[in-house]
Amino acid sequence: MSSRMETKSYMVQMNGNGVCGKTTVNGKTLNENGVNRNGVHGNGVHHVNIKGALYPIKSKSRRQRWEVKPSEMANNTLNPIRAIVDGMKLTPNPEKPMIALSIGDPTVFGNLPTDGAVLQAMKDAIDSQKYNGYAPSVGYLQSRQAVANFYSCPEAPLEAEDVILTSGCSQAIDLAISVLCNPGDNILVPCPGFSLYKTLAVSMGIEVKLYNLLPEKSWEVDLQHMESLIDERTSCLIITNPSNPCGSVFNKKHLQEILKVASRHCVPILADEIYSDMVFPGCSSPSMASLSSDVPILSCGGLAKRWLVPGWRMGWILIHDRDDIFGTEIRQGLVKLSQRILGACSIVQGALEQILDSTPQSFYNNTIGFLKSNSEICFSELSSVPGLNPVMPSGAMYIMIGIDMDHFPDFKNDVDFTERLVTEQSVFCLPASAFEYPNFFRIVVTVPEEMMLEACARIREFCQSHYRPPSRDSNDLDQ
């Protein structure tokens, strides 16, 4: 009974003598605090009694109508690819089957299955019934150690504590940007470059500065331009190697030059290395971390592309911090961010060690051989098409094709060009305006060889019907 009494509110305040002080206002009796027995102050402010003390409650105006709006973060989130593609009028030619060269998913056409060892590892993980529960937010220790063992090298050693498992490389990039940047900071992003960087950064209130890649130098970084963009609010430099959308691969010397710029300005690097080791024979590209003597690096990767399982959503961050510049704060920050939403699928984590240990080298070689062959076919076929200027890739799954728009007066820009290519030839290539690089388009080279040949033939036919050579008048003026 006494406990019940203690939970009730009594609007009585005792004075020092144990006697309630009383005041009368408009015929109502108030205590010495000016509160009547209904808990209303003489000035109309309500009070509540909590453990004998009185606290005022601000009166609230009631909303007159429903008004629910999306957050600023939602309004600021924009995927440039979707913005452009959704605005295109894509009506294929009904007389020609559609060939989509726009989707960066190597599984679409079924000609590039993953290896049997990868599938068996997943089956074994499921059958074990050990991985049906929640994993730690950063991933199982054994799985993280497996990734560390796979990528560790004397120049850039790794342990399990240096690995965070994520839901695909996209979440790895999200976590890396989130831990390094505050609203009002800026990041340096390649142009052309993967659109997700901007999508994530702008939604967080982070400015994106685009540094140029040079097509005439196989898409190397314009180092002078990149360095000119760095200021005191630059919190991260993003390097994509091998590149999406360019298919370029930076050599050791060029990577060292990039590292010198980052070192001079004390800017950490986010290395998007999802296509690491997907490099054509005759080319080589070491990881950025293996070349860095002081620049701290967050390397983002995953299973998606090299193992041809993008839907499995297994990615990781490798923390390279030889001089302890990140220290414990960045590491703890990544752990905290990983706890917002549990990331990588526990079953794929359970299979990860077996996948990394058991996938034969022949599988990797066959994939790379196919991608190189298709790239060479595409480059060879389109190099002889008037008005087109393909740039031969050295890795990844893409090739960029330049359009000499002056010779195609029927079209306003690359978006118009690729839209009409769908309408007339049922071939869909992604306009490079989606990567903030107009007058180019990107082709994905994972399609079957016969489809690649057919697509190139249709692109040739399309260009021949719309190409206009330089007029004599313009030639005379040049002379």
Side-chain angles (χ1 to χ4, degrees):
M1 184 70 179
S2 61
S3 62
R4 283 189 179 182
M5 292 291 289
E6 290 172 1
T7 63
K8 294 182 179 180
S9 282
Y10 292 92
M11 301 312 298
V12 177
Q13 181 71 34
M14 306 302 290
N15 63 20
N17 299 317
V19 179
C20 181
K22 295 182 179 180
T23 305
T24 301
V25 177
N26 295 329
K28 295 182 179 181
T29 301
L30 309 179
N31 66 17
E32 63 184 6
N33 292 303
V35 179
N36 67 22
R37 63 183 179 181
N38 295 318
V40 180
H41 200 282
N43 59 13
V45 177
H46 285 263
H47 283 64
V48 292
N49 185 307
I50 301 176
K51 295 183 179 179
L54 295 174
Y55 296 91
I57 302 176
K58 295 181 180 178
S59 59
K60 298 179 180 179
S61 60
R62 184 174 62 84
R63 288 179 178 172
Q64 299 301 311
R65 63 181 184 275
W66 284 98
E67 191 174 14
V68 183
K69 296 182 178 180
S71 66
E72 289 186 15
M73 185 176 189
N75 285 333
N76 291 335
T77 300
L78 175 69
N79 185 323
I81 294 179
R82 290 261 53 92
I84 288 176
V85 173
D86 290 349
M88 297 174 71
K89 298 175 182 177
L90 302 176
T91 307
N93 183 339
E95 296 181 2
K96 298 186 177 185
M98 185 70 171
I99 301 177
L101 304 178
S102 57
I103 306 170
D105 182 345
T107 71
V108 168
F109 296 97
N111 59 313
L112 289 174
T114 191
D115 191 75
V118 177
L119 298 177
Q120 188 59 52
M122 280 290 281
K123 293 172 184 176
D124 291 346
I126 292 170
D127 289 343
S128 74
Q129 299 196 46
K130 294 179 181 178
Y131 308 107
N132 295 333
Y134 292 124
S137 66
V138 294
Y140 290 123
L141 179 63
Q142 181 178 352
S143 305
R144 293 160 61 206
Q145 187 62 57
V147 175
N149 293 342
F150 192 81
Y151 286 103
S152 186
C153 63
E155 300 80 13
L158 290 165
E159 296 294 338
E161 65 182 11
D162 303 315
V163 179
I164 291 181
L165 301 183
T166 61
S167 178
C169 188
S170 296
Q171 191 197 17
I173 294 168
D174 184 17
L175 295 181
I177 293 175
S178 298
V179 81
L180 294 175
C181 308
N182 287 308
D185 286 351
N186 63 75
I187 61 174
L188 271 53
V189 171
C191 181
F194 185 36
S195 61
L196 181 67
Y197 311 138
K198 184 174 182 178
T199 299
L200 294 172
V202 172
S203 72
M204 300 178 201
I206 299 162
E207 180 186 1
V208 173
K209 294 184 176 183
L210 303 175
Y211 64 84
N212 292 331
L213 304 182
L214 304 171
E216 67 273 16
K217 293 187 176 181
S218 298
W219 302 109
E220 285 191 350
V221 174
D222 183 337
L223 295 167
Q224 185 176 358
H225 181 236
M226 182 178 73
E227 189 162 12
S228 72
L229 299 174
I230 298 174
D231 61 23
E232 68 279 358
R233 293 302 302 269
T234 303
S235 55
C236 177
L237 166 60
I238 296 183
I239 302 295
T240 314
N241 186 51
S243 167
N244 174 13
C246 302
S248 57
V249 176
F250 298 152
N251 60 32
K252 178 179 178 180
K253 180 176 180 294
H254 191 57
L255 290 172
Q256 289 172 328
E257 290 171 337
I258 294 169
L259 285 164
K260 287 177 183 177
V261 173
S263 180
R264 272 198 298 272
H265 297 274
C266 300
V267 177
I269 287 178
L270 189 169
D272 182 350
E273 297 180 324
I274 185 64
Y275 296 98
S276 74
D277 300 311
M278 294 184 74
V279 177
F280 298 164
C283 302
S284 65
S285 186
S287 68
M288 290 214 76
S290 68
L291 303 175
S292 176
S293 59
D294 62 331
V295 178
I297 295 170
L298 297 181
S299 173
C300 300
L303 290 182
K305 303 304 168 70
R306 194 180 183 202
W307 285 268
L308 305 175
V309 287
W312 290 11
R313 311 311 302 144
M314 171 56 68
W316 47 72
I317 298 175
L318 309 180
I319 305 170
H320 296 279
D321 189 25
R322 187 171 305 175
D323 289 353
D324 203 31
I325 294 169
F326 284 151
T328 58
E329 290 185 336
I330 294 297
R331 291 175 182 270
Q332 290 174 353
L334 284 169
V335 172
K336 290 177 181 178
L337 288 168
S338 74
Q339 293 168 347
R340 294 178 67 199
I341 298 176
L342 290 183
C345 171
S346 59
I347 293 174
V348 186
Q349 288 189 52
L352 192 52
E353 183 176 15
Q354 190 174 332
I355 289 172
L356 298 177
D357 289 347
S358 302
T359 305
Q361 185 62 41
S362 59
F363 167 73
Y364 305 129
N365 294 343
N366 291 339
T367 303
I368 291 298
F370 174 83
L371 295 175
K372 181 184 181 184
S373 175
N374 252 13
S375 297
E376 289 173 340
I377 289 170
C378 186
F379 179 80
S380 175
E381 292 294 320
L382 298 185
S383 290
S384 59
V385 175
L388 296 186
N389 300 293
V391 182
M392 181 63 193
S394 299
M397 313 186 317
Y398 313 99
I399 181 171
M400 287 279 275
I401 316 294
I403 312 168
D404 191 342
M405 295 304 301
D406 291 340
H407 294 306
F408 295 100
D410 294 344
F411 312 117
K412 294 178 292 185
N413 50 41
D414 57 307
V415 177
D416 195 19
F417 181 98
T418 52
E419 185 179 274
R420 289 280 293 280
L421 181 58
V422 173
T423 302
E424 296 181 21
Q425 297 290 339
S426 297
V427 174
F428 184 27
C429 305
L430 199 60
S433 288
F435 308 108
E436 308 208 46
Y437 206 81
N439 302 335
F440 275 77
F441 61 90
R442 186 194 74 173
I443 287 178
V444 178
V445 298
T446 57
V447 299
E449 181 178 314
E450 62 276 11
M451 196 174 289
M452 177 61 73
L453 288 167
E454 173 64 20
C456 288
R458 293 190 200 176
I459 294 171
R460 176 185 295 276
E461 181 181 330
F462 175 80
C463 290
Q464 287 173 340
S465 66
H466 292 282
Y467 179 81
R468 300 293 181 269
S471 66
R472 283 186 179 179
D473 291 342
S474 64
N475 286 338
D476 292 340
L477 288 173
D478 291 339
Q479 292 173 357

